[in-house]
Amino acid sequence: MKPLELYLHIPFCIQKCNYCDFLSAPSCAGERKVYVESLCQKIRSYKDLAKAYHVVSIFVGGGTPSLLLSKQIEQIFEAVRETFVIDSDAEISLEANPGTVTEEKLQAYRNCGINRLSIGLQSAKDRELKRLGRIHTYEEFLWTYELARKAGFLNINVDLMSGIPLQTLVDWEETLHEVARLKPEHISAYSLIVEEGTPFYERYGNGKHLEELPDEETERKMYYRTREILESYGYHRYEISNYARLGYECRHNLGYWNRTEYLGIGTGAASLIREERWNEGEIPEKLDRKAQMEETMFLGLRTMKGVSKAEFAKTYQRTMESVYGKVLEEMQKKGLLLVGEDQVCLTDAGIDVSNYVMSEFLL
């Protein structure tokens, strides 16, 4: 049996945030009920495929999964456990937003085997939360966080966002200190990206109102200060935007970056099975050898560990140098890649221009 990661998508939220381009939308109780029933049916439809795999991680994302009723989360996990073999030590995560969590829900999560919560905070400043269109305050986040600890959750991630409109470097530093002092096991620190189809794009797209956004130099300082501050609290950066205490790196995300097979179930969820990639409802696309090697490089380089030459050669029966020798040499000369005896990884300068470096590995 091969390792498999499961992703379950819950496309519902109370309201869309101003920056969000994820597949999610407000809904009524009836719509959520119908969706959960359909999701459970879809999960059970994979009974034959499941025979070849053992599940190493499960991630329930959205949207806002914590918007569902406790009994609906229980329904979903009943279907999962009927269909798949789940490792006894599997990492099982659920995304939760302040304002949607109760003591009763948290106990239900624990009963379902959920052992990791990912709480969407984004900022410790209420004025920034309001600009983002979040439904909660920082105090409500603290209440949710403490409730989760009292419920017995020993593995909690907190999502944070830099580059928010009118955010200063000091604002960001204060948010980092506030959250790090709470000692969550994991912190995801992302920079705002203004995506098409969002309220933020209407305001800031095509170069409009750029004076409200932190400039490039400030954003760079925010990124550097993120590492400095979080390392001072005992976190290490193991991926471009993710920090963890030792042993609490998100196994599910590491699986994505290492190209572990994963099955996405639910509206728009993505899958990678037997080198076929698809989104729910789409026709699978077979990845050829070239595409597989490209993904190995630009996904693996997101991690601080980087990509192993030995593993590359074992997987593709070709040395990394025979495929990417010129690129490796050029990126190393520019100080953007560290090419060791086995590992190839980004330098600090390479991280600053990671999109450029990774694009160089497209064949």
Side-chain angles (χ1 to χ4, degrees):
M1 297 175 75
K2 296 185 291 184
L4 178 72
E5 299 195 323
L6 284 183
Y7 174 80
L8 308 175
H9 190 66
I10 310 298
F12 307 121
C13 53
I14 291 178
Q15 68 178 32
K16 288 285 281 186
C17 296
N18 293 329
Y19 59 88
C20 180
D21 73 330
F22 295 138
L23 186 55
S24 62
S27 61
C28 67
E31 289 170 325
R32 294 194 289 273
K33 181 177 183 293
V34 170
Y35 181 84
V36 168
E37 291 171 353
S38 174
L39 182 67
C40 290
Q41 187 176 13
K42 186 70 176 178
I43 290 168
R44 291 186 171 98
S45 74
Y46 284 107
K47 188 155 289 213
D48 287 339
L49 180 145
K51 293 174 184 176
Y53 296 93
H54 63 101
V55 174
V56 296
S57 72
I58 302 172
F59 197 101
V60 186
T64 306
S66 53
L67 189 58
L68 294 182
L69 300 173
S70 299
K71 65 179 181 181
Q72 291 172 325
I73 294 292
E74 290 166 350
Q75 276 180 261
I76 292 168
F77 274 89
E78 182 180 351
V80 169
R81 293 186 184 281
E82 283 179 10
T83 307
F84 295 92
V85 174
I86 303 171
D87 288 0
S88 59
D89 66 343
E91 177 190 85
I92 305 178
S93 303
L94 179 136
E95 289 185 338
N97 277 347
T100 63
V101 174
T102 64
E103 188 175 349
E104 184 258 342
K105 283 185 179 181
L106 289 167
Q107 190 55 57
Y109 300 161
R110 296 266 292 154
N111 293 342
C112 289
I114 295 167
N115 51 33
R116 183 177 184 272
L117 281 187
S118 182
I119 305 177
L121 169 59
Q122 313 313 340
S123 172
K125 307 285 184 183
D126 286 348
R127 63 181 181 274
E128 292 177 357
L129 293 173
K130 192 172 182 180
R131 286 182 207 126
L132 291 172
R134 303 294 288 175
I135 64 167
H136 61 87
T137 64
Y138 182 55
E139 282 300 317
E140 288 171 321
F141 160 78
L142 290 175
W143 183 84
T144 299
Y145 184 86
E146 289 305 316
L147 207 61
R149 287 302 196 201
K150 288 177 183 175
F153 281 94
L154 304 177
N155 191 355
I156 296 178
N157 168 65
V158 178
D159 283 339
L160 298 177
M161 182 177 289
S162 62
I164 297 168
L166 305 180
Q167 184 184 55
T168 67
L169 177 59
V170 172
D171 289 333
W172 176 238
E173 290 172 338
E174 289 175 352
T175 283
L176 289 170
H177 283 294
E178 285 274 354
V179 173
R181 280 194 286 264
L182 295 173
K183 300 181 180 179
E185 286 66 38
H186 189 284
I187 296 175
S188 296
Y190 301 106
S191 179
L192 171 69
I193 298 175
V194 178
E195 302 281 9
E196 287 191 46
T198 65
F200 271 3
Y201 189 81
E202 291 178 20
R203 181 161 183 83
Y204 302 113
N206 300 318
K208 298 177 290 186
H209 304 289
L210 293 184
E211 71 280 358
E212 295 181 10
L213 298 174
D215 59 35
E216 190 174 323
E217 182 59 26
T218 301
E219 283 215 50
R220 185 176 289 109
K221 287 178 181 177
M222 286 176 171
Y223 188 77
Y224 289 147
R225 289 294 289 146
T226 302
R227 180 179 179 181
E228 291 170 0
I229 290 171
L230 293 184
E231 284 187 350
S232 75
Y233 284 91
Y235 297 90
H236 73 99
R237 183 176 65 188
Y238 69 96
E239 189 271 344
I240 288 177
S241 300
N242 286 278
Y243 297 77
R245 296 187 180 281
L246 200 59
Y248 288 96
E249 301 82 1
C250 180
R251 283 189 267 157
H252 189 85
N253 285 345
L254 283 172
Y256 285 149
W257 300 318
N258 293 327
R259 300 190 79 251
T260 300
E261 289 183 274
Y262 56 88
L263 178 64
I265 308 176
T267 304
S271 299
L272 175 67
I273 300 289
R274 297 166 189 151
E275 296 303 344
E276 288 190 337
R277 185 182 295 286
W278 73 91
N279 289 338
E280 183 108 340
E282 296 180 357
I283 297 173
E285 172 198 4
K286 187 73 175 179
L287 299 179
D288 60 20
R289 211 60 155 173
K290 177 174 78 72
Q292 293 172 36
M293 290 190 290
E294 290 173 345
E295 284 194 1
T296 294
M297 296 306 296
F298 67 69
L299 290 175
L301 286 173
R302 289 192 60 88
T303 67
M304 298 303 100
K305 182 181 177 182
V307 185
S308 163
K309 294 180 186 177
E311 285 298 316
F312 186 97
K314 181 181 176 182
T315 302
Y316 300 113
Q317 288 78 54
R318 294 183 64 182
T319 66
M320 191 184 293
E321 288 84 356
S322 71
V323 181
Y324 288 114
K326 187 176 179 182
V327 176
L328 294 173
E329 186 178 347
E330 287 180 0
M331 294 297 104
Q332 188 175 28
K333 280 182 180 177
K334 291 179 179 179
L336 304 179
L337 271 187
L338 183 63
V339 182
E341 199 168 307
D342 182 54
Q343 296 298 129
V344 176
C345 57
L346 294 171
T347 63
D348 285 344
I351 290 171
D352 282 347
V353 290
S354 58
N355 287 341
Y356 158 67
V357 177
M358 291 171 191
S359 71
E360 292 296 296
F361 286 91
L362 298 177
L363 297 169

